[in-house]
Amino acid sequence: MEAAVYGHPHGETVDIIMFMFVVEAGDRRILVDSGTLDPEYVRRYHPYDFARDPDSEPLIVLRENGYDPADFDTVVNTHLHWDHCSNNGLFRNARVLVNKKELEYAIDPLPIHRRAYEKLPGLQAPWMAAWDRIETVTGEHRICPGVTVVPLPGHTPGSQGVLVETGGGRYLIAGDALGVYENWNTEDWRESVPPTIHTNVIECFETFEYIASLSCEVIPSHDGRIAEIYG
């Protein structure tokens, strides 16, 4: 859990699942986060024991569920860490929405964050394959009725989420502002716990207060239990 919960005992770990989220709103198809490249690539550039069944490759999963990347009109990157944006180039007809502060920071991050943003010698970060289609947003930004990008800084300077309003309630795809359910205290936002990786812990708590004001159900970005809850 130490990879996701600030202050958790050192040495105790948890499997972190990589998710992409599809939102359908009328005739709009929106992807929230585009996931990772293949395990060999990840192991080459990142210190993780990354594994993925061939049947779980993003393109295969999308097509098995009736989606073609060309049919998406919008991709939202909750932030530009490598595990959330590496397949942007697959969605050739989509505009890519990135928070303005996030884009600025990804271009020149602090040395301690360079690997997360893949600002590495001889490597062009894969998210840049969609460079010509990136649009920056600030604050709240409505994509279409019922789907709004909302700012959730703290994990990174420009972290954001997507608030989806349905007939059954309001849901927040929270990105790494809430990586696992243990980050969020449903009874009192003040008792929530920031992710281990963060650029500003004060902003993390400001984000928690903001999330509480949304009166929504939160969907963390890396918790395998969401597949059981919503699958």
Side-chain angles (χ1 to χ4, degrees), residues 185-225:
N185 188 302
T186 58
E187 302 299 322
D188 185 353
W189 63 265
R190 299 169 187 82
E191 299 300 322
S192 297
V193 184
T196 297
I197 299 172
H198 54 263
T199 55
N200 189 316
V201 73
I202 294 174
E203 285 187 340
C204 286
F205 279 93
E206 292 172 344
T207 285
F208 294 154
E209 183 176 16
Y210 173 72
I211 291 173
S213 76
L214 296 175
S215 299
C216 62
E217 186 170 334
V218 300
I219 302 176
S221 61
H222 289 299
D223 199 310
R225 288 169 286 188

Side-chain angles (χ1 to χ4, degrees), residues 88-128:
N88 284 359
L90 282 178
F91 303 89
R92 60 183 182 275
N93 295 324
R95 59 180 184 147
V96 179
L97 302 184
V98 179
N99 183 276
K100 190 173 190 293
K101 288 183 179 179
E102 185 70 7
L103 183 61
E104 292 171 348
Y105 188 67
I107 297 299
D108 189 22
L110 291 171
I112 195 173
H113 296 142
R114 285 176 183 165
R115 187 166 298 277
Y117 284 101
E118 298 192 324
K119 183 70 179 288
L120 301 172
L123 177 65
Q124 178 174 290
W127 62 265
M128 298 187 77

Side-chain angles (χ1 to χ4, degrees), residues 2 5 8 16 30 51-52 70 75 84 98 134 147 157 165 168 170 195-196 199 201 220 224:
E2 65 176 311
V5 180
H8 200 271
I16 295 295
I30 302 160
R52 182 165 64 204
V75 170
H84 290 259
V98 179
I134 288 177
V147 184
E165 302 184 55
R170 291 155 60 92
T196 297
T199 55
V201 73

Side-chain angles (χ1 to χ4, degrees), residues 4-223:
V5 180
Y6 185 51
H8 200 271
H10 180 72
E12 186 177 346
T13 60
V14 66
D15 289 338
I16 295 295
I17 311 299
M18 310 298 188
F19 284 101
M20 304 185 301
F21 300 89
V22 174
V23 178
E24 292 188 334
D27 61 352
R28 305 290 298 274
R29 284 187 173 176
I30 302 160
L31 186 85
V32 183
D33 287 337
S34 65
T36 66
L37 296 183
D38 61 89
E40 181 180 351
Y41 172 90
V42 174
R43 289 192 292 266
R44 184 183 311 136
Y45 294 108
H46 301 282
Y48 299 106
D49 184 18
F50 184 78
R52 182 165 64 204
D53 186 283
D55 292 338
S56 296
E57 292 292 330
L59 189 57
I60 292 174
V61 171
L62 286 168
R63 287 179 171 165
E64 284 184 346
N65 285 278
Y67 298 109
D68 188 298
D71 296 335
F72 285 82
D73 56 79
T74 306
V75 170
V76 179
N77 290 148
T78 60
H79 58 297
L80 291 175
H81 282 174
W82 63 276
D83 53 321
H84 290 259
C85 57
S86 287
N87 289 302
N88 284 359
L90 282 178
F91 303 89
R92 60 183 182 275
N93 295 324
R95 59 180 184 147
V96 179
L97 302 184
V98 179
N99 183 276
K100 190 173 190 293
K101 288 183 179 179
E102 185 70 7
L103 183 61
E104 292 171 348
Y105 188 67
I107 297 299
D108 189 22
L110 291 171
I112 195 173
H113 296 142
R114 285 176 183 165
R115 187 166 298 277
Y117 284 101
E118 298 192 324
K119 183 70 179 288
L120 301 172
L123 177 65
Q124 178 174 290
W127 62 265
M128 298 187 77
W131 179 255
D132 60 321
R133 293 180 281 109
I134 288 177
E135 299 178 17
T136 59
V137 299
T138 57
E140 296 183 359
H141 175 84
R142 191 175 83 154
I143 297 175
C144 62
V147 184
T148 303
V149 177
V150 295
L152 305 174
H155 173 64
T156 66
S159 284
Q160 58 187 8
V162 177
L163 182 66
V164 181
E165 302 184 55
T166 75
R170 291 155 60 92
Y171 299 85
L172 176 66
I173 302 171
D176 281 1
L178 300 170
V180 293
Y181 281 108
E182 283 77 6
N183 292 122
W184 181 239
N185 188 302
T186 58
E187 302 299 322
D188 185 353
W189 63 265
R190 299 169 187 82
E191 299 300 322
S192 297
V193 184
T196 297
I197 299 172
H198 54 263
T199 55
N200 189 316
V201 73
I202 294 174
E203 285 187 340
C204 286
F205 279 93
E206 292 172 344
T207 285
F208 294 154
E209 183 176 16
Y210 173 72
I211 291 173
S213 76
L214 296 175
S215 299
C216 62
E217 186 170 334
V218 300
I219 302 176
S221 61
H222 289 299
D223 199 310

